[in-house]
Amino acid sequence: TADEIFAQLTQNIARGAKGIIWSGFDAALARKHPDLAVAIRDCGRVLRALSSGLLSSEPWDCKPQAPEKINVTALSGRDRLVLALFNSDYVVGSPRYAWITAQKTEIEISAPPGMHVKAAIEAGRERTTPIEFQEKEGRIRLQAGDIQTAKIIVLGGEGLPAELAAAYEAALAEER
């Protein structure tokens, strides 16, 4: 499903992937499963929009505090922190996984030394969305909202919202 593909993307980013090769997916499969072709295209858009931050990032021990079934992984770059949130509360089924939505999720993390967070943005499949946060004494508390399968949240300076919005627009233009 599209949710499972986005969960795969998020897990790969969490482990430091700088790109994804969807090797088992070809034109014949795209015709048979157009919803999956759209999901892969959308994940490619997220990767293109985040590429400059991902290419210069390394794992960061953000000392997360999160609900038990929400896995939080952080990648720290020059001027941003990329958080990969994965909801591990699911039942394996056939033909798809059944996730139990984590509602009104709140996450708390440590920021890298010297990083002053002025913006938190969800990098969704179709758009960017501001995330509410508070910063106090090097700890950042995020209102991540409901998490069905996974979320990617980017933290950075004041210019981050405009930069990510422009990157999404550029990716959409490439798709046309």
Side-chain angles (χ1 to χ4, degrees):
T1 67
D3 284 338
E4 291 169 352
I5 288 175
F6 192 71
Q8 289 175 24
L9 171 71
T10 304
Q11 290 290 79
N12 282 296
I13 286 174
R15 286 166 178 70
K18 309 302 185 199
I20 306 285
I21 298 172
W22 304 98
S23 58
F25 202 80
D26 60 15
L29 233 94
R31 284 189 295 278
K32 187 174 178 182
H33 301 285
D35 56 326
L36 297 183
V38 168
I40 289 171
R41 181 205 62 205
D42 292 349
C43 287
R45 180 184 313 127
V46 173
L47 275 174
R48 282 191 303 280
L50 299 179
S51 64
S52 66
L54 289 177
L55 292 174
S56 64
S57 66
E58 295 296 329
W60 165 253
D61 181 9
C62 64
K63 298 175 180 44
Q65 291 179 351
E68 181 182 354
K69 297 284 188 165
I70 300 296
N71 301 322
V72 180
T73 306
L75 299 170
S76 179
R78 271 185 334 271
D79 60 351
R80 67 192 58 190
L81 190 63
V82 178
L83 301 177
L85 311 178
F86 178 73
N87 181 359
S88 63
D89 195 3
Y90 58 87
V91 178
V92 177
S94 181
R96 59 182 48 131
Y97 288 52
W99 265 271
I100 299 160
T101 302
Q103 297 185 354
K104 298 181 182 176
T105 306
E106 188 172 280
I107 309 286
E108 187 173 314
I109 61 160
S110 291
M115 179 176 278
H116 301 289
V117 175
K118 302 294 182 194
I121 304 294
E122 179 184 347
R125 289 177 261 192
E126 297 177 8
R127 71 186 65 80
T128 60
T129 307
I131 297 286
E132 289 184 38
F133 73 98
Q134 299 85 37
E135 183 176 14
K136 184 178 180 182
E137 299 174 5
R139 296 288 291 172
I140 299 164
R141 183 181 299 265
L142 299 157
Q143 307 303 321
D146 295 348
I147 301 176
Q148 175 67 26
T149 56
K151 278 191 181 186
I152 299 169
I153 298 175
V154 185
L155 308 173
E158 290 177 14
L160 181 67
E163 180 185 328
L164 284 180
Y168 267 69
E169 285 304 315
L172 284 167
E174 287 177 19
E175 293 169 14
R176 293 183 190 118

